[in-house]
Amino acid sequence: MCSVSLQSQITPSNTIIRFHMRLMKPPPLSSSSTAAIFRKARLSPYLFTLLVFILFVCVLYGEDLTCIFGQQLQLTSSSDPIVIKTGKKREKLPFTVGKTDEGCDLFSGRWVFDESTRPLYEESECPYIQPQLTCQEHGRPDKDYQKWRWQPHGCDLPSFNATLMLETLRGKRMMFVGDSLNRGQYVSMICLLHKLIPDDAKSMESFDSDSRTVFTAKTYNATIEFYWAPFLLESNADNAVVHRISDRLVRKGSINKHGKHWKGVDVLVFNTYLWWMTGLEFKILLGSFNDEVKDIVNVPTTEAYRMAMKTMLRWLRRNMDPKKTRVFFTSMSPSHGKSIEWGGEPGGNCYNQTTLIEDPNYWGSDSRKNIMEVIGEVFSKTKVPISFLNITQLSNYRKDAHTSIYKKQWNPLTPEQLANPVSYADCVHWCLPGLQDTWNELLFAKLFYP
């Protein structure tokens, strides 16, 4: 039998799915019945010869013709219905329990103000939120930013089920890998889950000079971890505490330095973006950080980012078992540092912003588009099953959700800064509870209902 293989390309909202279809071979016609048909039709010798030749070719090469035209032809026997058998069942992705509506794009939708179900937890109820993200504790006067729910067009986002998540993670490891924005999503996940775990059955510890943080749910024998790797590759910003380096440098092809800590993880959630945004060019180290004379080249930032994406996918292909592990990549988290981009007054930013951006086509910086194009190109060519969490567009609307000035300040503020809050507002990170809880609702949906 002939097997026809169909493969869909990865897009920013799906994963690779492979399946095979086998078409039934038609029953051959007997020579006597064929001759009788020709006699009744009183065909000319030339036409008769041509039809016999065509029939001979069809019988001799029927299987090959089925391969070529199988999807167009309706092949039946005398009284049987059309038969299309699956040669190989679609493999169920790990952790899935169902699927979303056909054609549903969870990442295309609108924000709905919802006081009845939001927030999903209270800031004061989650002791794991870093002081950089506790906006209420640091004096934010409003709470509306906590009460927006994402509503996809034409379908609904599955409700986050903490019990299902914990039961699924029983005996397993979940790890977020990336920068401080991914750490915010990691903390959000813990805040969504920890209430179901008794106080004496959970813990939070840091290892390797704070490069790895591990939340343990002891009764489930499960861990939810964060690993600091802002570029995924080895860099001069790998120190999780002292990493504020302006002259950033990444070593080419060096993912194994960090990757050895990711092996065996059951659910991996990657992100990397913000640290690459230092200008039009980026420095790449071709040798070792230990070399006395370092071989450094400047390349376009988009090409440096492309290199990182290809290296990540290569590592996954070599080290991941797609029958056991699910991998996600979270797209760029937008910042709102220039109010002029959304039609605001020049010189402003996210400070004192309490409303959403209403323009459905708002995108912000062109650099995000360029990076998104790189991700789309690289992911579309890979056979590695990776789910893309496209949080960029929906987060673009949320200029109200940043920590702004309502966070722990690591350095004392000067009188000039205090007189101008715009100068020290953090328009990169997000208050918790808030926007990043939606990111985890989307992660939940893609994990269990792809």
Side-chain angles (χ1 to χ4, degrees), residues 141 175 233 399:
M175 180 181 283
L233 308 179
K399 60 184 173 64

Side-chain angles (χ1 to χ4, degrees), residues 304-315:
Y305 192 87
R306 187 189 305 275
M307 175 201 69
M309 292 296 96
K310 288 183 176 180
T311 305
M312 176 191 69
L313 293 172
R314 190 182 307 119
W315 185 91

Side-chain angles (χ1 to χ4, degrees), residues 362-375:
Y362 176 76
W363 186 257
S365 171
D366 286 339
S367 64
R368 296 175 203 155
K369 289 184 179 180
N370 296 336
I371 293 297
M372 188 70 90
E373 288 173 359
V374 170
I375 296 172

Side-chain angles (χ1 to χ4, degrees), residues 28 56 74 87 134-135 158 164 174 181 194 203 218 266 292 334 338 344 347 365 378 393 422 438:
F56 173 75
Q74 294 183 350
T134 50
C135 298
L164 174 60
M174 181 180 196
L181 290 159
H194 84 98
S203 65
K218 299 176 184 177
D266 300 280
E292 287 189 20
K338 296 179 180 179
S365 171
V378 175
Q393 185 71 60
V422 170
T438 297

